[in-house]
Amino acid sequence: MSKWKLSHISAGLTAVTVGYSSSVVIIIDVARKAGASDDMVISWLFALGLGMGITCILFSWLSKLPVVTAWSTPGAAFLLTSIGNYRLSEAIGAFVICAMLSLVTAQSRSLLKQISRIPPAISSALLAGILLPICLAIFSEVNDAPHLVALFLAVYLIGSRLFPRYLMLLLLVMSVGISMFMSSADGGVALTSDSSGLSSIFTLPEPIWVTPTFSLSATIGLAFPLFLITTLSQNLPGIAIHHAHGYTPDHKPILSGIAIAQALLAPFGGFTFNLAAITAALCMGEQADSEKSQRYKAAIAAGVAYIFMGLLASVVVALFVSMPSIIIHLLAGLALLATLQGAVVRAMEIEHHRAPALLTMLCTASGFSLFSMTSAVWGLGLGLILLYVQKKPANA
C-alpha cells in the first residue's frame, strides 16, 4: 500500500481553504438572516464541517476515488436573498425536503437526466440572477466608504493577476484584520468582551437542534429552488468533473449518501451537501499525486480538514459575526464575481436562448415573492415558457 504524501495533505487543505474562504461569510450571513443566534450559527458551521468531512472520508475510502463534497455556494447565495421571508423552523423544514428531493433524484437516473435537460442557458441565467444582487452590493456603499471599496477592488484586481488561487484567502484575512481595527477604533473589543479573553472563543461547538416545520410556501419558495440550484450548479458539474479526470464512480450511492447526511444534519444547520466541482478538481489533478489511483487520499485529507474546521466553528464565528455589513458585502460580492461571469457567459452563448435567459436572469434578480413563490421559481418558469414559445412555428 502506497504511503501518504505531503501532496495529498496539501491538495486537500487547499481545496478546503478555497471553499471556506470564498463563501463562509455568506453561510454566516444566511444563518443570521434566518434568525439563528450566534450559538446556532456555530451549530450550522459545525454541522456543515462534520457532514462534508464524513462524506469526503467515507466515499473516498470506499470507492478509492477522490470524492470531494461541499456546501452549495450558489444555494447559499439564493438563500441569502430569500430565507428572511420564512421562520427559522420553516427554513429547516425546507432543508429536509430539499434532502428528500435529492434522495429521490439520486435513486432515479431518468429523473436526473430530465433535470439535466433544462437548457444550460436557462440554468446559468437562474444562477446569474441569484448572484447579481450580491455582486452589485460591492458598490452599494461606495459613497459612504469609497476608500474601503477602492482598497478591496485594488487587491482583487492585483490578486486576480498575481495569485488567483489564494486571492480569496488574502481578502478573507484582510477583512478580519480591517474588522478588528474598525471594532477597536469604535471602542469595542476585537474578538470578545468576555473577561476570560481570547481563550473563551476556543470552545468545542454544541449542536443545537431546531425542530423543522413544513409548509407549502417554504417548500415551493425555498426547498424546490434550493434543490434545483444545487443539482444544476453543483451535483451535475461535480459528476462532469469526475468524468473529465477519468473517474467513473457509481454516483447513485454517493448522491444518496450525501442526501441522507443532509436530512440528518439539516435540523442542526446542514442546509445542503453536494458534490464539489471547482475545489474537487484540486484533489484530482497531478498536483495531488502523480499516481491517479492514489489521489483519493487528497480527498480524505480534505475531509479531515473539513471536520477540523467544523470543530473550530466558534473561532470562525467569533471572527466573522461582528464583521461590518460593508465588508460582508465586499467579500461576498468579490467571491462570487467569477461565478457570475461564467454564468452570464453560458447564459448568452446560444443566440436563440438569449431572450429567455435574459428574462430568467432579470426576474430572478428582482427578488420579489408572489403566491409563496420566490423570484427564482418565477424566473425559471418564465424563461422555460418563452423558450417553448420561441420554438413553436409562427403559423402554429
Side-chain angles (χ1 to χ4, degrees):
M1 182 178 177
S2 300
K3 294 181 180 180
W4 281 74
K5 300 178 182 178
L6 184 61
S7 61
H8 300 147
I9 299 172
S10 174
L13 287 177
T14 301
V16 172
T17 300
V18 170
Y20 260 78
S21 61
S22 64
S23 56
V24 69
V25 68
I26 302 173
I27 305 300
I28 293 173
D29 206 17
V30 167
R32 295 172 74 184
K33 287 191 175 182
S37 64
D38 288 355
D39 288 340
M40 288 180 180
V41 176
I42 293 172
S43 176
W44 279 46
L45 290 179
F46 175 62
L48 289 166
L50 186 66
M52 293 184 296
I54 290 174
T55 50
C56 277
I57 294 170
L58 179 63
F59 292 117
S60 296
W61 177 259
L62 291 176
S63 67
K64 294 299 185 287
L65 300 172
V67 178
V68 181
T69 59
W71 58 49
S72 173
T73 299
F78 160 71
L79 292 174
L80 195 60
T81 61
S82 306
I83 202 167
N85 298 322
Y86 303 90
R87 291 180 291 116
L88 177 59
S89 60
E90 284 185 301
I92 296 296
F95 301 160
V96 174
I97 292 174
C98 176
M100 294 298 101
L101 291 172
S102 297
L103 182 59
V104 170
T105 303
Q107 304 308 305
S108 173
R109 299 183 194 280
S110 61
L111 183 56
L112 191 64
K113 186 176 180 180
Q114 289 299 317
I115 294 173
S116 68
R117 290 181 62 185
I118 294 176
I122 302 298
S123 59
S124 298
L126 177 69
L127 178 58
I130 291 166
L131 300 179
L132 186 58
I134 300 173
C135 293
L136 285 174
I138 295 170
F139 306 99
S140 63
E141 296 175 85
V142 69
N143 289 327
D144 297 326
H147 301 299
L148 192 59
V149 175
L151 173 63
F152 272 78
L153 287 174
V155 172
Y156 181 82
L157 292 173
I158 294 170
S160 297
R161 175 68 179 176
L162 299 180
F163 40 85
R165 178 175 291 184
Y166 303 103
L167 171 59
M168 288 315 305
L169 180 60
L170 175 62
L171 286 172
L172 193 67
V173 172
M174 188 175 79
S175 298
V176 172
I178 293 174
S179 297
M180 292 170 65
F181 173 77
M182 291 173 68
S183 177
S184 299
D186 290 338
V189 182
L191 288 177
T192 178
S193 57
D194 192 296
S195 59
S196 61
L198 291 177
S199 61
S200 65
I201 67 171
F202 290 96
T203 57
L204 289 176
E206 180 181 345
I208 298 177
W209 171 278
V210 176
T211 301
T213 58
F214 303 97
S215 68
L216 182 61
S217 62
T219 299
I220 297 173
L222 284 184
F224 178 70
L226 182 61
F227 156 73
L228 201 58
I229 291 162
T230 300
T231 301
L232 292 173
S233 64
Q234 295 283 167
N235 282 331
L236 292 180
I239 292 172
I241 287 289
H242 269 138
H243 293 165
H245 286 83
Y247 296 105
T248 55
D250 183 0
H251 286 100
K252 180 178 178 179
I254 294 174
L255 292 175
S256 299
I258 293 172
I260 292 170
Q262 180 180 333
L264 294 175
L265 292 172
F268 302 101
F271 72 100
T272 55
F273 298 102
N274 47 254
L275 291 174
I278 298 173
T279 53
L282 298 172
C283 297
M284 296 183 192
E286 290 194 0
Q287 72 272 20
D289 197 308
S290 56
E291 292 184 51
K292 185 178 172 183
S293 63
Q294 297 301 310
R295 293 173 191 169
Y296 74 94
K297 293 177 181 177
I300 292 177
V304 174
Y306 274 138
I307 294 175
F308 182 70
M309 290 301 294
L311 293 173
L312 290 177
S314 60
V315 180
V316 175
V317 171
L319 291 173
F320 292 106
V321 79
S322 59
M323 187 175 285
S325 61
I326 182 173
I327 293 183
I328 291 175
H329 292 161
L330 286 166
L331 192 58
L334 292 173
L336 295 171
L337 267 183
T339 307
L340 174 61
Q341 176 184 313
V344 171
V345 169
R346 288 191 299 273
M348 300 298 157
E349 229 166 14
I350 302 175
E351 186 175 353
H352 65 275
H353 285 177
R354 288 174 187 169
L358 182 61
L359 184 64
T360 296
M361 182 173 69
L362 293 177
C363 181
T364 301
S366 67
F368 72 89
S369 181
L370 183 64
F371 303 127
S372 300
M373 292 189 288
T374 57
S375 59
V377 178
W378 287 106
L380 177 63
L382 289 173
L384 291 174
I385 289 171
L386 181 55
L387 191 64
Y388 175 77
V389 169
Q390 287 186 343
K391 283 183 177 180
K392 295 287 287 183
N395 57 354

